[in-house]
């Protein structure tokens, strides 16, 4: 199993602040996905990154895939209460369809 | 597009009974479906992978005789928790992917909350 380590595990910030969530592994991934999950619901796909060094933007969210395809980051600018949730990174190995999930970062944005 | 539904959204049952959870891909043909379980404040743990028309592949430590998975069609997979016990109480989530999808992206259902009394 290819392990993904996410940090921080918990993050509580005020509205308007910026934050970065990290997803690291010692393994290479063919692709890496970021999800956001709200309590009692399934994860919702935010982005898939596939190329080393790739940067993708989704409104106030910026996703980066490391050059070696072993790590990724999610940066949120001017966080809003609606950004509150569990952020999960997950990677596909080269060998299969199964996703390996990180443990998640629980984000709380207070007004 | 790529919508996955689950039914029921929550279920409460007595210890020793069996519970069936359905996972449906509503607008695409799901060549592969996955079943996960998630405990409170924890991440998703893959239980098994199933391809339409073939036996599911279970992850290490998951009892295949307890968690029966059937993927009889390209739009439906079912997970049956047999002889459920309180320790089986969890949030069960399915996901689905389709052949030719962008880097095998998985689309998740809304989950089923199982409580075993």
């Amino acid at each position: 199993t290819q392990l993904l380590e996410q940090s921080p595990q918990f993050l509580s910030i005020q509205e308007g602040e910026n934050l970065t969530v990290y997803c690291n592994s010692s393994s290479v991934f063919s692709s890496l996905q970021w999800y956001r999950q709200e309590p009692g619901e399934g994860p919702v796909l935010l982005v898939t990154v596939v190329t080393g060094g790739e940067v993708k933007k989704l409104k106030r969210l910026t996703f980066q895939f490391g050059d070696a395809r072993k790590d990724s980051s999610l940066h949120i600018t001017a966080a809003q209460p609606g950004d509150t949730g569990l952020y999960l990174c997950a990677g596909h190995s080269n060998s299969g369809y199964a996703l390996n999930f990180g443990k998640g970062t629980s984000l709380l944005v207070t007004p | 597009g790529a919508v996955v539904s689950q039914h029921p959204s929550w279920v409460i049952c007595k210890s020793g009974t069996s519970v069936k959870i359905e996972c449906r891909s509503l607008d695409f043909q799901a060549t592969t479906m996955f079943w996960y379980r998630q405990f409170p404040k924890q991440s998703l743990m893959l239980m098994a992978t199933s391809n339409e028309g073939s036996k599911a592949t279970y992850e290490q430590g998951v009892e295949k005789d307890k968690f029966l998975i059937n993927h009889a069609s390209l739009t439906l997979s079912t997970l049956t928790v047999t002889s459920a016990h309180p320790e089986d109480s969890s949030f069960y989530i399915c996901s689905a992917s389709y052949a030719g999808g962008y880097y095998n992206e998985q689309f998740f259902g809304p989950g089923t909350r199982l409580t075993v009394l």
Side-chain angles (χ1 to χ4, degrees):
Chain A
T1 301
Q2 297 167 285
L3 297 177
L4 282 165
E5 299 286 341
Q6 280 188 246
S7 63
Q9 188 175 357
F10 300 100
L11 190 55
S12 180
I13 62 173
Q14 289 196 317
E15 184 176 3
E17 292 184 24
N18 302 330
L19 67 116
T20 302
V21 176
Y22 300 94
C23 177
N24 297 300
S25 175
S26 58
S27 304
V28 175
F29 289 93
S30 60
S31 66
L32 196 141
Q33 298 173 350
W34 284 93
Y35 293 85
R36 185 166 76 95
Q37 184 183 25
E38 298 194 25
E41 299 182 12
V44 175
L45 179 65
L46 296 174
V47 78
T48 298
V49 287
V50 302
T51 306
E54 181 177 9
V55 176
K56 282 191 174 179
K57 291 193 174 184
L58 184 65
K59 296 183 180 178
R60 294 176 292 101
L61 279 61
T62 302
F63 305 85
Q64 186 163 8
F65 201 13
D67 291 340
R69 291 185 290 137
K70 293 182 178 181
D71 55 87
S72 181
S73 64
L74 158 60
H75 182 79
I76 301 180
T77 303
Q80 299 177 1
D83 296 327
T84 293
L86 179 67
Y87 288 83
L88 296 158
C89 67
H92 278 115
S93 68
N94 289 324
S95 60
Y97 291 89
L99 274 175
N100 300 302
F101 276 89
K103 291 188 176 182
T105 294
S106 183
L107 171 65
L108 174 63
V109 182
T110 54
Chain B
V3 178
V4 176
S5 70
Q6 277 184 246
H7 178 79
S9 55
W10 58 269
V11 56
I12 301 172
C13 69
K14 292 183 178 180
S15 185
T17 61
S18 295
V19 174
K20 180 185 283 188
I21 302 170
E22 292 186 349
C23 177
R24 294 181 184 273
S25 57
L26 299 185
D27 52 3
F28 67 100
Q29 293 186 326
T31 47
T32 307
M33 285 185 166
F34 306 84
W35 286 95
Y36 297 83
R37 65 188 299 181
Q38 184 178 33
F39 291 108
K41 301 197 182 299
Q42 293 189 22
S43 188
L44 281 70
M45 292 178 53
L46 180 65
M47 299 175 65
T49 301
S50 73
N51 294 295
E52 183 264 339
S54 59
K55 290 184 178 180
T57 302
Y58 291 81
E59 294 299 297
Q60 192 172 9
V62 178
E63 300 175 57
K64 61 180 181 180
D65 294 331
K66 181 169 184 62
F67 298 100
L68 301 178
I69 292 172
N70 184 281
H71 191 168
S73 77
L74 285 171
T75 59
L76 174 64
S77 176
T78 59
L79 166 67
T80 301
V81 183
T82 62
S83 187
H85 291 284
E87 57 266 30
D88 298 324
S89 298
S90 188
F91 193 50
Y92 291 87
I93 309 173
C94 72
S95 70
S97 64
Y98 57 91
Y102 183 67
Y103 280 86
N104 299 322
E105 281 178 345
Q106 292 182 23
F107 301 94
F108 285 81
T112 296
R113 172 75 58 193
L114 171 63
T115 302
V116 184
L117 302 176

